[in-house]
Amino acid sequence: MIRVLYFASLRDQAGCESEDVDAAGSSAADLYATLATRHGFVLPRDRLRVAVDGEFADWDASLADGVELAFIPPVSGG
Amino acid sequence: MSGTAAFALSEAPIDGDALRARLLDPAAGGFACFEGWVRNSHAGRAVVALDYQAYPALAVREGTRVVEEALARFEILHALCVHRTGALAIGETAVWVGVSAAHRDGAFQACRWILDVVKARVPIWKNEHYRDGGSGWIHPEQ
């Protein structure tokens, strides 16, 4: 299982802070496409970054079972 | 470089005096500080309150990298940055940056740079609540 974390508008659209998905072995890019369809995310992937286990990661790397993945929408601190 | 370089998130109001005290150094000739405050408007719309959300594990890691990069890049002694999370009222301090240095140029430059880079890189998001109803997460185009 992959634990997926949502923030900001993605959290509102998903209706949850996180969820576990059966996606080990797929890429973060493929997982975003699947979840964007399921939850109706409006942000295109090229406006996001992805993090795995609390560090920025590559969209194309294969996701190991048990990792925590976060989709990072454009940030607006300050 | 062996000065203090730290970044933190805070759910509680930011105590600027306490942060300033951590930057004191006999070798310092001064200190530059920027406080970002919650403003009552955005793009012409009246704002009544804000929420900030963060991804704490990565925000602290990335924010610390930004402040450490500033320590390596500029002629400064110490640098700190603290960003609020949770619900904030108009006028509250949302972000605090402080830099001490032997001379003013490094302090001013590093203070500005840290704020700019934190805003661009650290996973923190602002949700604005508008007087005319509704709210919106801010996701800048760039």
Side-chain angles (χ1 to χ4, degrees), chain A residues 8-9 12 54-55 74 76 78, chain B residues 52-53 61 83 124 137-139:
Chain A
S9 63
D12 289 357
E55 192 51 271
S76 51
Chain B
Y52 282 101
Q53 208 176 75
R61 196 170 282 166
H83 203 295
I124 299 170
W137 289 101
I138 307 302
H139 292 311

Side-chain angles (χ1 to χ4, degrees), chain B residues 3-141:
Chain B
T4 299
F7 178 92
L9 299 172
S10 176
E11 292 184 12
I14 290 172
D15 181 349
D17 289 341
L19 294 170
R20 177 187 176 280
R22 291 172 58 188
L23 299 171
L24 297 173
D25 188 318
F31 150 83
C33 177
F34 182 84
E35 292 186 348
W37 298 346
V38 178
R39 188 177 51 226
N40 69 354
S41 68
H42 176 79
R45 243 176 132 181
V47 171
V48 292
L50 292 184
D51 301 316
Y52 282 101
Q53 208 176 75
Y55 178 17
L58 183 55
V60 171
R61 196 170 282 166
E62 184 72 352
T64 300
R65 277 194 287 258
V66 171
V67 179
E68 287 175 345
E69 283 173 40
L71 209 63
R73 179 187 280 254
F74 299 98
E75 292 290 322
I76 61 177
L77 292 167
H78 308 288
L80 293 174
C81 179
V82 178
H83 203 295
R84 280 291 301 278
T85 56
L88 276 73
I90 302 301
E92 281 196 80
T93 298
V95 60
W96 191 99
V97 181
V99 179
S100 59
H103 303 286
R104 68 186 182 281
D105 281 351
F108 280 125
Q109 289 169 11
C111 188
R112 172 67 188 256
W113 186 88
I114 290 168
L115 184 74
D116 288 348
V117 178
V118 164
K119 285 169 71 85
R121 279 182 26 194
V122 177
I124 299 170
W125 299 272
K126 174 164 57 180
N127 190 17
E128 295 181 332
H129 298 270
Y130 304 108
R131 178 173 297 152
D132 58 12
S135 64
W137 289 101
I138 307 302
H139 292 311
E141 288 290 336

Side-chain angles (χ1 to χ4, degrees), chain A:
Chain A
M1 291 298 241
I2 308 294
R3 167 64 55 92
V4 180
L5 307 183
Y6 298 117
F7 297 98
S9 63
L10 297 181
R11 182 176 293 184
D12 289 357
Q13 287 158 17
C16 59
E17 295 186 9
S18 67
E19 63 181 330
D20 292 331
V21 297
D22 186 9
S26 64
S27 69
D30 288 345
L31 182 55
Y32 186 73
T34 300
L35 294 171
T37 301
R38 182 182 303 170
H39 296 303
F41 295 151
V42 295
L43 285 168
R45 182 169 65 80
D46 64 8
R47 293 195 56 205
L48 308 182
R49 299 180 77 182
V50 66
V52 174
D53 287 339
E55 192 51 271
F56 290 115
D58 196 334
W59 282 105
D60 297 325
S62 173
L63 297 169
D65 191 33
V67 300
E68 179 182 272
L69 178 146
F71 296 117
I72 310 289
V75 302
S76 51

